[in-house]
Amino acid sequence: MNIRKVLVVGAGQMGHQIAMLSALGGFETTLQDVNESALEDAATKLQKLMEKWVQKQKITENEKEVAFSRLSFKSHLESAAIEADFIIEAIIEKLDAKQELFKKLDKYAKPETILATNSSTIVNSLVASVTNRPDKVVNMHFFFPPLVMNCVEVVKSEQTSEETARITMGVSEQMNRSAVLLHKEISGFIANRILGALQREAVFLYENGYADFQDIDEICKKALHHPIGPFELMDLSGIDVGYFVMQQRFNETGDPADRPFKSIVEKVERNELGRKTGKGFYEYTNQKTKV
């Protein structure tokens, strides 16, 4: 299948950067979101990011202009989905919202169009079940921030076809991202399961008074050579994102150990979601971090 037109649904912190990767990779790309202000914000952010890339000589001014000529913004889902050869969903990490969207995408998109979910933990079979094309549904998990992190987890379900997996790997590589294929589904995939184990232990130690979160971060950076600590990473990714991931896993397993942590629940209730709200475990003022 010749992939020419890519649709990214959701203009949030993941979606707008995935759309830029797609345009830079040579695909005619549409970024869709029902919120017009989200699309305007995404366009502004991408212009600033690409200007920085030009200044740092990552790309030329001409390459930037060509990429933006391939990128369009739409609020209407049906008209955006009709022409797409490949669709990447990048909306909120809630199963019911994703299932509702995939029902619509299955209705609007061409029968041969591949539907990929950027979910960081929800296996694609759970959204494929509401479509008539489970063989063309796949996980395509980019890491935050997509324009920086050079990795994509491509995950097959039992029904995902080999062709779908092969095409998705190819699309990832054309976006200049290293793609790794998982042949079996598991909630959280590889990176987030390993990361989740680290974060669970870090929060356990913090909530039980063994050390302050700042000191746990410091130990991870100095002793384990991690670029940032687990609490800094939760602030960067969005504490609400971590909350939704844990809540989804608990819904699937029923295991009390998978419930969102008390401190995470409290942060979400206070809308202290990390960098995007100016406060999480740390406070953020003028791009500087304060404890």
Side-chain angles (χ1 to χ4, degrees):
M1 183 178 177
N2 183 26
I3 305 298
R4 296 187 303 107
K5 297 182 179 182
V6 171
L7 168 63
V8 180
V9 181
Q13 61 180 356
M14 293 293 292
H16 75 287
Q17 292 200 16
I18 295 171
M20 194 74 245
L21 283 174
S22 176
L24 287 166
F27 297 108
E28 186 177 332
T29 306
T30 301
L31 179 61
Q32 186 276 335
D33 199 297
V34 293
N35 189 334
E36 290 278 5
S37 62
L39 292 173
E40 293 171 5
D41 185 53
T44 300
K45 286 179 178 177
L46 289 175
Q47 284 287 350
K48 291 179 179 178
L49 282 169
M50 291 302 100
E51 285 170 10
K52 288 182 180 178
W53 275 30
V54 171
Q55 291 169 7
K56 293 179 179 179
Q57 298 184 332
K58 290 185 176 182
I59 58 174
T60 65
E61 179 67 28
N62 182 64
E63 286 171 333
K64 184 195 84 169
E65 291 177 1
V66 170
F68 275 107
S69 73
R70 299 189 189 107
L71 181 60
S72 61
F73 302 83
K74 283 189 177 182
S75 59
H76 192 253
L77 179 64
E78 183 173 0
S79 62
I82 285 173
E83 296 183 348
D85 303 314
F86 194 100
I87 300 177
I88 304 170
E89 166 271 314
I91 66 169
I92 192 169
E93 194 72 354
K94 290 185 176 180
L95 178 58
D96 56 351
K98 292 182 187 296
Q99 288 178 329
E100 182 180 353
L101 173 61
F102 270 69
K103 284 180 183 177
K104 294 177 180 177
L105 293 175
D106 187 48
K107 177 181 178 182
Y108 300 149
K110 296 176 293 188
E112 65 270 23
T113 297
I114 291 172
L115 308 181
T117 172
N118 179 54
S119 174
S120 60
T121 185
I122 298 172
V123 294
N124 74 75
S125 59
L126 293 177
V127 292
S129 63
V130 302
T131 75
N132 293 307
R133 62 181 86 192
D135 61 312
K136 297 187 182 300
V137 179
V138 66
N139 284 93
M140 189 183 190
H141 176 220
F142 292 80
F143 291 84
F144 181 78
L147 283 166
V148 176
M149 301 297 287
N150 180 21
C151 188
V152 176
E153 290 176 321
V154 176
V155 188
K156 289 177 58 184
S157 72
E158 290 185 356
Q159 291 180 294
T160 305
S161 71
E162 292 290 340
E163 181 186 36
T164 294
R166 177 182 56 79
I167 291 172
T168 305
M169 294 286 285
V171 169
S172 303
E173 289 160 8
Q174 189 167 331
M175 290 184 184
N176 198 30
R177 286 296 170 266
S178 298
V180 180
L181 179 62
L182 279 67
H183 298 277
K184 293 169 59 178
E185 289 187 322
I186 186 168
S187 178
F189 318 136
I190 303 299
N192 279 342
R193 290 185 71 86
I194 294 171
L195 179 61
L198 173 67
Q199 289 181 336
R200 280 194 297 275
E201 189 63 23
V203 175
F204 169 83
L205 294 168
Y206 164 61
E207 289 188 348
N208 286 276
Y210 291 100
D212 290 334
F213 64 86
Q214 308 99 303
D215 294 328
I216 296 171
D217 277 350
E218 189 73 3
I219 290 168
C220 288
K221 289 186 288 186
K222 294 292 178 64
L224 304 179
H225 292 281
H226 292 184
I228 62 176
F231 294 93
E232 290 175 311
L233 182 56
M234 284 186 273
D235 275 4
L236 177 64
S237 301
I239 291 173
D240 56 330
V241 175
Y243 170 84
F244 291 137
V245 167
M246 287 181 277
Q247 188 62 52
Q248 175 61 35
R249 184 168 296 177
F250 172 68
N251 291 342
E252 291 178 19
T253 67
D255 185 348
D258 290 331
R259 285 183 184 274
F261 310 120
K262 178 182 177 183
S263 57
I264 298 297
V265 173
E266 291 172 351
K267 292 288 184 188
V268 171
E269 290 176 346
R270 293 197 293 264
N271 199 41
E272 296 174 357
L273 307 181
R275 287 180 179 267
K276 61 186 174 184
T277 59
K279 184 176 182 181
F281 285 98
Y282 297 87
E283 291 186 10
Y284 303 87
T285 306
N286 298 324
Q287 304 302 315
K288 294 182 180 178
T289 304
K290 294 184 178 180
V291 174

